[in-house]
Amino acid sequence: MAVVLGLDLSTQSATALVLDTKSGKNLATARAAFGPDFPDRGHPEGFIRGGQNGEVHADPLLWLDGLELALTRLAKLTDLSQIEAISVSGQQHGSVYLGAGYQAALADGNPQTSLATKIKPVLSRASSPIWMDGSTVKECAEIAAALGGDQAVCDLTGSVATPRFTGPQIRRFAKNNPQAWAKTERVHLVSSFFASILAGADVAIDTGDGAGMNLMDIRKGDWSPAALQATASDLAKKLPPVRPGSTVAGPISKYFVTRYGFSPRCQVVIGTGDNPSSLVGMGASRPGKVVISLGTSDTIFAAIEGIRTDAAGLGHAFGNPLGGSMSLICVRNGSLAREAIRRECGFKDWDEFSAAINHSPAAQSAVLPMEEDEITPRRSAGRISLGKPVTPQSLPRAAVEGQALNMRLHSRWVGTPTTQLLLTGGASNNPAIAKIFADVFGAPVFRLSVSDSAALGAALRAAEAACGAKMAYLEAVFCAPAPGVVQPDPALRSAYDALEAELAKKLS
Ligand code: XUL
């Protein structure tokens, strides 16, 4: 049994969580927020909106500074030399582009220069497109045409060509900046980039995160030569290999040993995406449990038997980092939309927002709040109203009910009834919001005592892959539900069925 570290590089923050698998204790958690902790960088939300055609990028150097700040804070809370293994969770689909000299920069162990100082000169693209980017509609159509249409891409890669996915993003870059593309020697995902930073060497992409690129043959768990060819020239040699999530990359780089006091024997396990990592962290890596994560994006996912794909093109099949596959639906207007509604209604905090929910009757009206262009459903910014008209007092309930109904409708293709929901992410701590999800899905809602499920998943994967711990033991110790299951009200079922049917009609 061992002390392990899970790192989560998400859209807005870097989180570091240390577990002692022997005592079953969470020894320390530290976080750095890309916006608030770095006010002089000019990206208060941690990412960069407003690029051409719906581009949303982020600064990879800010991510690196965020990692260093989180580790500096962590070192004040716990002894980093006791950590035996590390793994990484990263926001999915985001990509980092590296040019000549990148391997030497990764291997540079000099503790006097920061990671950002080492990596800056070897970036062949200054910013990284992230999952919120919707600029590649044209490239998706081109990839689909080259591979024989949407269904063919979906059958091959687990998803139709999807604007935020990395393949279409790579294609747009290669078309618009052929010189920079020619200089690019390596494209990493956020998860594989940070695993490479930790290992001081190029590290593979895992099958979980690799499936979010429209480049991997979902059944073979390896790059599809046809998809690579349809995407960009010379792509095969610019990608790291794909490997199972249990792969140990090797010992941590000298930089972390000398700068932060890690043991040179500490092992790095390859990374995965934040949703696959949460699947593990929620104790849901075997079929049977459905997870809803309420974060910057809201996602609903579950481990599934075999591989299922969504004919409508909105759901995805990803690799399960522990083997097999998982379904996923991602809604872009998650916490940022809830926040916008709270401000619009003039509620100064979440208590006032929750009080408004509790004082409004359930299942009367619903609003799908698409404050920004949405990906599920694929719609431009705007709101869809269902049922009775809303007032400022009933809007918070209607908006959360709309979000829950939208997830219910768009997860029907997975084909398994939801008998138990596991809720995670910031908003899951709000009892009023948890009750709405229980009622809309007609299923009891459980929450875990650990709220950082993506970082927890990374730590558990590190323990299993590098320290020989058994996942069944780790789940029993770290993924037990917190007391206080939220039960659904069966009397609301027919009213929610009617609202879901109305939503389906409005979207058809
Ligand atoms: C999933 C997705 C988002 C990101 C950011 O497909 O785009 O959930 O992983 O968290």
Side-chain angles (χ1 to χ4, degrees):
M1 293 296 165
V3 176
V4 289
L5 167 60
L7 288 172
D8 177 34
L9 279 300
S10 75
T11 316
Q12 298 188 289
S13 57
T15 302
L17 179 149
V18 180
L19 301 180
D20 179 349
T21 63
K22 189 167 177 202
S23 68
K25 286 208 174 94
N26 175 350
L27 298 183
T29 304
R31 205 182 312 276
F34 303 132
D37 278 321
F38 298 92
D40 54 331
R41 302 294 268 273
H43 306 312
E45 294 178 294
F47 51 86
I48 312 161
R49 292 177 193 277
Q52 285 179 337
N53 292 330
E55 276 178 355
V56 181
H57 283 209
D59 177 359
L61 303 178
L62 180 53
W63 292 338
L64 289 168
D65 287 342
L67 170 67
E68 301 231 42
L69 181 56
L71 289 179
T72 304
R73 288 176 173 162
L74 191 69
K76 293 190 180 131
L77 303 174
T78 193
D79 172 12
L80 302 187
S81 74
Q82 62 185 331
I83 294 169
E84 289 169 49
I86 309 185
S87 191
V88 178
S89 150
Q91 57 166 309
Q92 294 197 257
H93 319 298
S95 43
V96 180
Y97 299 73
L98 302 166
Y102 83 94
Q103 278 154 317
L106 287 176
D108 181 351
N110 179 359
Q112 306 304 328
T113 50
S114 71
L115 294 169
T117 309
K118 296 180 206 306
I119 294 297
K120 188 174 179 192
V122 300
L123 286 176
S124 57
R125 186 179 196 181
S127 58
S128 291
I130 65 163
W131 64 274
M132 298 167 102
D133 189 302
S135 66
T136 66
V137 173
K138 191 155 176 261
E139 287 71 23
C140 287
E142 290 163 355
I143 291 169
L147 288 175
D150 283 344
Q151 194 57 52
V153 185
C154 193
D155 289 344
L156 179 65
T157 70
S159 303
V160 300
T162 304
R164 69 187 189 286
F165 278 32
T166 322
Q169 293 290 342
I170 290 172
R171 179 167 179 80
R172 183 161 186 265
F173 179 56
K175 274 168 54 188
N176 294 352
N177 299 282
Q179 284 165 346
W181 177 244
K183 287 190 181 143
T184 300
E185 292 183 7
R186 182 58 87 227
V187 182
H188 270 297
L189 292 180
V190 176
S191 61
S192 63
F193 175 62
F194 279 93
S196 303
I197 289 283
L198 289 164
D202 244 343
V203 163
I205 288 177
D206 91 307
T207 49
D209 220 8
M213 301 173 82
N214 284 138
L215 296 175
M216 194 185 88
D217 182 324
I218 186 79
R219 285 169 180 84
K220 293 190 177 145
D222 202 354
W223 301 129
S224 151
L228 300 194
Q229 169 128 30
T231 299
S233 58
D234 295 330
L235 183 50
K237 63 176 194 232
K238 300 187 189 212
L239 290 172
V242 194
R243 292 282 178 268
S246 56
T247 307
V248 180
I252 195 163
S253 97
K254 204 169 127 228
Y255 177 77
F256 294 92
V257 175
T258 40
R259 177 109 177 201
Y260 294 102
F262 280 90
S263 158
R265 285 179 306 282
C266 174
Q267 297 293 313
V268 178
V269 173
I270 69 170
T272 192
D274 54 358
N275 295 296
S277 194
S278 271
L279 186 80
V280 178
M282 295 299 286
S285 57
R286 283 179 306 268
K289 294 176 183 166
V290 176
V291 182
I292 290 187
S293 169
L294 301 174
T296 310
S297 64
D298 287 345
T299 51
I300 175 165
F301 50 86
I304 50 173
E305 304 280 4
I307 290 170
R308 256 163 281 163
T309 53
D310 177 17
L314 297 175
H316 311 289
F318 289 159
N320 174 342
L322 298 187
S325 61
M326 64 182 280
S327 58
L328 180 129
I329 295 101
C330 174
V331 177
R332 181 176 173 185
N333 284 280
S335 60
L336 297 177
R338 287 184 286 276
E339 178 67 41
I341 299 274
R342 182 179 71 74
R343 272 185 273 119
E344 175 182 323
C345 294
F347 297 132
K348 70 174 187 313
D349 56 27
W350 292 104
D351 287 345
E352 288 189 0
F353 184 88
S354 306
I357 290 181
N358 292 332
H359 287 109
S360 306
Q364 301 287 306
S365 40
V367 170
L368 187 56
M370 299 178 291
E371 307 306 295
E372 298 180 12
D373 293 354
E374 183 47 69
I375 48 190
T376 309
R378 231 169 259 150
R379 282 283 189 287
S380 304
R383 289 184 185 170
I384 296 178
S385 296
L386 311 165
K388 295 186 183 153
V390 288
T391 63
Q393 193 62 24
S394 66
L395 181 57
R397 171 178 280 283
V400 178
E401 288 182 334
Q403 290 181 318
L405 282 165
N406 184 44
M407 287 183 138
R408 191 177 108 158
L409 171 67
H410 285 105
S411 53
R412 291 221 174 268
W413 65 273
V414 181
T416 35
T418 306
T419 50
Q420 201 186 90
L421 266 185
L422 298 175
L423 212 56
T424 182
S428 66
N429 294 324
N430 183 317
I433 291 179
K435 176 73 172 117
I436 289 178
F437 276 86
D439 287 342
V440 169
F441 280 83
V445 162
F446 297 82
R447 286 166 290 181
L448 303 196
S449 33
V450 177
S451 54
D452 300 300
S453 55
L456 175 61
L460 299 184
R461 287 180 48 249
E464 188 186 56
C467 310
K470 294 273 175 277
M471 193 51 75
Y473 164 82
L474 295 171
E475 283 182 358
V477 174
F478 294 104
C479 312
V485 50
V486 184
Q487 293 294 348
D489 179 354
L492 296 171
R493 172 184 281 265
S494 59
Y496 282 127
D497 286 348
L499 286 169
E500 186 193 323
E502 190 183 339
L503 176 61
K505 198 159 165 226
K506 288 209 164 151
L507 292 175
S508 63

mmCIF file of all heavy atoms in Angstrom, residues 158-183:
data_model
loop_
_atom_site.group_PDB
_atom_site.id
_atom_site.type_symbol
_atom_site.label_atom_id
_atom_site.label_comp_id
_atom_site.label_asym_id
_atom_site.label_seq_id
_atom_site.Cartn_x
_atom_site.Cartn_y
_atom_site.Cartn_z
ATOM 1 N N GLY A 158 -16.087 6.099 -32.529
ATOM 2 C CA GLY A 158 -16.946 6.192 -31.343
ATOM 3 C C GLY A 158 -17.771 7.461 -31.294
ATOM 4 O O GLY A 158 -18.645 7.602 -30.436
ATOM 5 N N SER A 159 -17.517 8.405 -32.200
ATOM 6 C CA SER A 159 -18.269 9.663 -32.246
ATOM 7 C C SER A 159 -18.272 10.164 -33.680
ATOM 8 O O SER A 159 -17.311 9.915 -34.423
ATOM 9 C CB SER A 159 -17.584 10.766 -31.416
ATOM 10 O OG SER A 159 -17.399 10.374 -30.088
ATOM 11 N N VAL A 160 -19.314 10.900 -34.054
ATOM 12 C CA VAL A 160 -19.241 11.600 -35.344
ATOM 13 C C VAL A 160 -18.135 12.653 -35.237
ATOM 14 O O VAL A 160 -17.697 12.984 -34.128
ATOM 15 C CB VAL A 160 -20.589 12.291 -35.723
ATOM 16 C CG1 VAL A 160 -21.716 11.280 -35.822
ATOM 17 C CG2 VAL A 160 -20.930 13.409 -34.755
ATOM 18 N N ALA A 161 -17.678 13.170 -36.377
ATOM 19 C CA ALA A 161 -16.661 14.229 -36.324
ATOM 20 C C ALA A 161 -17.268 15.398 -35.549
ATOM 21 O O ALA A 161 -18.339 15.892 -35.873
ATOM 22 C CB ALA A 161 -16.260 14.633 -37.734
ATOM 23 N N THR A 162 -16.591 15.807 -34.493
ATOM 24 C CA THR A 162 -17.170 16.714 -33.500
ATOM 25 C C THR A 162 -16.251 17.929 -33.341
ATOM 26 O O THR A 162 -15.040 17.753 -33.131
ATOM 27 C CB THR A 162 -17.309 15.957 -32.150
ATOM 28 O OG1 THR A 162 -18.090 14.773 -32.370
ATOM 29 C CG2 THR A 162 -17.947 16.805 -31.079
ATOM 30 N N PRO A 163 -16.815 19.154 -33.425
ATOM 31 C CA PRO A 163 -15.937 20.329 -33.471
ATOM 32 C C PRO A 163 -14.891 20.422 -32.364
ATOM 33 O O PRO A 163 -13.764 20.824 -32.606
ATOM 34 C CB PRO A 163 -16.931 21.499 -33.409
ATOM 35 C CG PRO A 163 -18.157 20.952 -34.074
ATOM 36 C CD PRO A 163 -18.221 19.501 -33.668
ATOM 37 N N ARG A 164 -15.237 20.048 -31.130
ATOM 38 C CA ARG A 164 -14.235 20.222 -30.067
ATOM 39 C C ARG A 164 -13.187 19.122 -30.056
ATOM 40 O O ARG A 164 -12.192 19.219 -29.338
ATOM 41 C CB ARG A 164 -14.920 20.301 -28.704
ATOM 42 C CG ARG A 164 -15.555 19.015 -28.213
ATOM 43 C CD ARG A 164 -16.335 19.276 -26.933
ATOM 44 N NE ARG A 164 -16.820 18.081 -26.275
ATOM 45 C CZ ARG A 164 -17.844 17.325 -26.681
ATOM 46 N NH1 ARG A 164 -18.490 17.636 -27.790
ATOM 47 N NH2 ARG A 164 -18.228 16.280 -25.974
ATOM 48 N N PHE A 165 -13.396 18.042 -30.793
ATOM 49 C CA PHE A 165 -12.471 16.909 -30.763
ATOM 50 C C PHE A 165 -11.146 17.304 -31.431
ATOM 51 O O PHE A 165 -11.084 18.164 -32.296
ATOM 52 C CB PHE A 165 -13.091 15.692 -31.439
ATOM 53 C CG PHE A 165 -14.031 14.915 -30.543
ATOM 54 C CD1 PHE A 165 -14.792 15.539 -29.569
ATOM 55 C CD2 PHE A 165 -14.159 13.536 -30.666
ATOM 56 C CE1 PHE A 165 -15.660 14.829 -28.745
ATOM 57 C CE2 PHE A 165 -15.022 12.810 -29.852
ATOM 58 C CZ PHE A 165 -15.778 13.453 -28.887
ATOM 59 N N THR A 166 -10.100 16.610 -31.021
ATOM 60 C CA THR A 166 -8.753 17.064 -31.367
ATOM 61 C C THR A 166 -8.418 16.915 -32.853
ATOM 62 O O THR A 166 -7.702 17.751 -33.411
ATOM 63 C CB THR A 166 -7.731 16.284 -30.507
ATOM 64 O OG1 THR A 166 -8.282 16.119 -29.205
ATOM 65 C CG2 THR A 166 -6.425 17.038 -30.385
ATOM 66 N N GLY A 167 -8.926 15.847 -33.495
ATOM 67 C CA GLY A 167 -8.616 15.661 -34.919
ATOM 68 C C GLY A 167 -9.066 16.856 -35.757
ATOM 69 O O GLY A 167 -8.260 17.457 -36.485
ATOM 70 N N PRO A 168 -10.361 17.226 -35.675
ATOM 71 C CA PRO A 168 -10.792 18.411 -36.422
ATOM 72 C C PRO A 168 -10.001 19.679 -36.053
ATOM 73 O O PRO A 168 -9.702 20.515 -36.909
ATOM 74 C CB PRO A 168 -12.272 18.546 -36.043
ATOM 75 C CG PRO A 168 -12.691 17.138 -35.699
ATOM 76 C CD PRO A 168 -11.487 16.489 -35.091
ATOM 77 N N GLN A 169 -9.639 19.797 -34.779
ATOM 78 C CA GLN A 169 -8.836 20.967 -34.359
ATOM 79 C C GLN A 169 -7.464 20.932 -35.037
ATOM 80 O O GLN A 169 -6.951 21.956 -35.497
ATOM 81 C CB GLN A 169 -8.653 20.960 -32.832
ATOM 82 C CG GLN A 169 -9.927 21.179 -32.047
ATOM 83 C CD GLN A 169 -10.459 22.598 -32.175
ATOM 84 O OE1 GLN A 169 -9.724 23.511 -32.565
ATOM 85 N NE2 GLN A 169 -11.723 22.786 -31.875
ATOM 86 N N ILE A 170 -6.867 19.758 -35.099
ATOM 87 C CA ILE A 170 -5.556 19.621 -35.751
ATOM 88 C C ILE A 170 -5.696 19.978 -37.234
ATOM 89 O O ILE A 170 -4.858 20.683 -37.806
ATOM 90 C CB ILE A 170 -5.021 18.181 -35.578
ATOM 91 C CG1 ILE A 170 -4.638 17.919 -34.124
ATOM 92 C CG2 ILE A 170 -3.826 17.924 -36.508
ATOM 93 C CD1 ILE A 170 -4.273 16.465 -33.814
ATOM 94 N N ARG A 171 -6.767 19.484 -37.846
ATOM 95 C CA ARG A 171 -6.941 19.744 -39.286
ATOM 96 C C ARG A 171 -7.022 21.252 -39.566
ATOM 97 O O ARG A 171 -6.403 21.762 -40.492
ATOM 98 C CB ARG A 171 -8.208 19.045 -39.800
ATOM 99 C CG ARG A 171 -8.464 19.282 -41.275
ATOM 100 C CD ARG A 171 -9.527 18.367 -41.861
ATOM 101 N NE ARG A 171 -9.723 18.684 -43.262
ATOM 102 C CZ ARG A 171 -8.927 18.260 -44.237
ATOM 103 N NH1 ARG A 171 -7.889 17.495 -43.954
ATOM 104 N NH2 ARG A 171 -9.152 18.609 -45.493
ATOM 105 N N ARG A 172 -7.771 21.948 -38.741
ATOM 106 C CA ARG A 172 -7.923 23.396 -38.958
ATOM 107 C C ARG A 172 -6.562 24.105 -38.824
ATOM 108 O O ARG A 172 -6.219 24.973 -39.613
ATOM 109 C CB ARG A 172 -8.936 23.969 -37.967
ATOM 110 C CG ARG A 172 -9.212 25.441 -38.157
ATOM 111 C CD ARG A 172 -10.526 25.839 -37.498
ATOM 112 N NE ARG A 172 -10.850 27.224 -37.800
ATOM 113 C CZ ARG A 172 -10.552 28.241 -37.006
ATOM 114 N NH1 ARG A 172 -9.942 28.015 -35.859
ATOM 115 N NH2 ARG A 172 -10.853 29.481 -37.350
ATOM 116 N N PHE A 173 -5.803 23.690 -37.813
ATOM 117 C CA PHE A 173 -4.483 24.295 -37.610
ATOM 118 C C PHE A 173 -3.576 24.005 -38.811
ATOM 119 O O PHE A 173 -2.909 24.896 -39.351
ATOM 120 C CB PHE A 173 -3.875 23.742 -36.315
ATOM 121 C CG PHE A 173 -2.498 24.256 -35.990
ATOM 122 C CD1 PHE A 173 -2.246 25.618 -35.889
ATOM 123 C CD2 PHE A 173 -1.444 23.369 -35.752
ATOM 124 C CE1 PHE A 173 -0.973 26.094 -35.573
ATOM 125 C CE2 PHE A 173 -0.177 23.832 -35.433
ATOM 126 C CZ PHE A 173 0.062 25.192 -35.347
ATOM 127 N N ALA A 174 -3.561 22.741 -39.236
ATOM 128 C CA ALA A 174 -2.678 22.355 -40.352
ATOM 129 C C ALA A 174 -3.060 23.095 -41.642
ATOM 130 O O ALA A 174 -2.189 23.465 -42.435
ATOM 131 C CB ALA A 174 -2.751 20.845 -40.560
ATOM 132 N N LYS A 175 -4.368 23.325 -41.836
ATOM 133 C CA LYS A 175 -4.814 24.044 -43.041
ATOM 134 C C LYS A 175 -4.485 25.531 -42.961
ATOM 135 O O LYS A 175 -4.009 26.138 -43.919
ATOM 136 C CB LYS A 175 -6.347 23.915 -43.179
ATOM 137 C CG LYS A 175 -6.813 22.659 -43.893
ATOM 138 C CD LYS A 175 -8.312 22.434 -43.759
ATOM 139 C CE LYS A 175 -9.150 23.623 -44.197
ATOM 140 N NZ LYS A 175 -10.586 23.434 -43.880
ATOM 141 N N ASN A 176 -4.760 26.118 -41.796
ATOM 142 C CA ASN A 176 -4.616 27.576 -41.677
ATOM 143 C C ASN A 176 -3.182 28.015 -41.408
ATOM 144 O O ASN A 176 -2.814 29.152 -41.706
ATOM 145 C CB ASN A 176 -5.518 28.121 -40.559
ATOM 146 C CG ASN A 176 -6.980 27.940 -40.904
ATOM 147 O OD1 ASN A 176 -7.306 27.548 -42.015
ATOM 148 N ND2 ASN A 176 -7.859 28.211 -39.957
ATOM 149 N N ASN A 177 -2.394 27.156 -40.806
ATOM 150 C CA ASN A 177 -0.996 27.505 -40.472
ATOM 151 C C ASN A 177 -0.055 26.400 -40.934
ATOM 152 O O ASN A 177 0.605 25.752 -40.113
ATOM 153 C CB ASN A 177 -0.831 27.697 -38.961
ATOM 154 C CG ASN A 177 -1.682 28.807 -38.422
ATOM 155 O OD1 ASN A 177 -1.359 29.969 -38.559
ATOM 156 N ND2 ASN A 177 -2.793 28.442 -37.810
ATOM 157 N N PRO A 178 0.019 26.165 -42.256
ATOM 158 C CA PRO A 178 0.816 25.014 -42.715
ATOM 159 C C PRO A 178 2.278 25.086 -42.273
ATOM 160 O O PRO A 178 2.894 24.053 -42.005
ATOM 161 C CB PRO A 178 0.678 25.069 -44.240
ATOM 162 C CG PRO A 178 0.047 26.383 -44.568
ATOM 163 C CD PRO A 178 -0.641 26.878 -43.340
ATOM 164 N N GLN A 179 2.798 26.322 -42.153
ATOM 165 C CA GLN A 179 4.222 26.393 -41.748
ATOM 166 C C GLN A 179 4.405 25.947 -40.299
ATOM 167 O O GLN A 179 5.321 25.190 -39.967
ATOM 168 C CB GLN A 179 4.750 27.811 -41.924
ATOM 169 C CG GLN A 179 4.999 28.103 -43.394
ATOM 170 C CD GLN A 179 5.162 29.578 -43.681
ATOM 171 O OE1 GLN A 179 4.832 30.419 -42.841
ATOM 172 N NE2 GLN A 179 5.663 29.883 -44.863
ATOM 173 N N ALA A 180 3.495 26.438 -39.443
ATOM 174 C CA ALA A 180 3.589 26.039 -38.028
ATOM 175 C C ALA A 180 3.321 24.541 -37.891
ATOM 176 O O ALA A 180 3.936 23.862 -37.062
ATOM 177 C CB ALA A 180 2.602 26.840 -37.185
ATOM 178 N N TRP A 181 2.399 24.015 -38.725
ATOM 179 C CA TRP A 181 2.133 22.577 -38.684
ATOM 180 C C TRP A 181 3.376 21.792 -39.096
ATOM 181 O O TRP A 181 3.729 20.779 -38.479
ATOM 182 C CB TRP A 181 0.935 22.219 -39.568
ATOM 183 C CG TRP A 181 0.661 20.735 -39.612
ATOM 184 C CD1 TRP A 181 0.740 19.912 -40.692
ATOM 185 C CD2 TRP A 181 0.304 19.891 -38.503
ATOM 186 N NE1 TRP A 181 0.452 18.620 -40.336
ATOM 187 C CE2 TRP A 181 0.183 18.574 -38.991
ATOM 188 C CE3 TRP A 181 0.087 20.119 -37.141
ATOM 189 C CZ2 TRP A 181 -0.154 17.493 -38.183
ATOM 190 C CZ3 TRP A 181 -0.239 19.041 -36.328
ATOM 191 C CH2 TRP A 181 -0.361 17.750 -36.843
ATOM 192 N N ALA A 182 4.062 22.291 -40.121
ATOM 193 C CA ALA A 182 5.277 21.591 -40.572
ATOM 194 C C ALA A 182 6.317 21.577 -39.453
ATOM 195 O O ALA A 182 7.080 20.613 -39.309
ATOM 196 C CB ALA A 182 5.832 22.275 -41.818
ATOM 197 N N LYS A 183 6.340 22.620 -38.646
ATOM 198 C CA LYS A 183 7.332 22.684 -37.549
ATOM 199 C C LYS A 183 6.902 21.879 -36.327
ATOM 200 O O LYS A 183 7.684 21.690 -35.395
ATOM 201 C CB LYS A 183 7.523 24.141 -37.123
ATOM 202 C CG LYS A 183 8.314 24.939 -38.143
ATOM 203 C CD LYS A 183 8.690 26.277 -37.566
ATOM 204 C CE LYS A 183 9.459 27.084 -38.592
ATOM 205 N NZ LYS A 183 9.157 28.486 -38.562
#
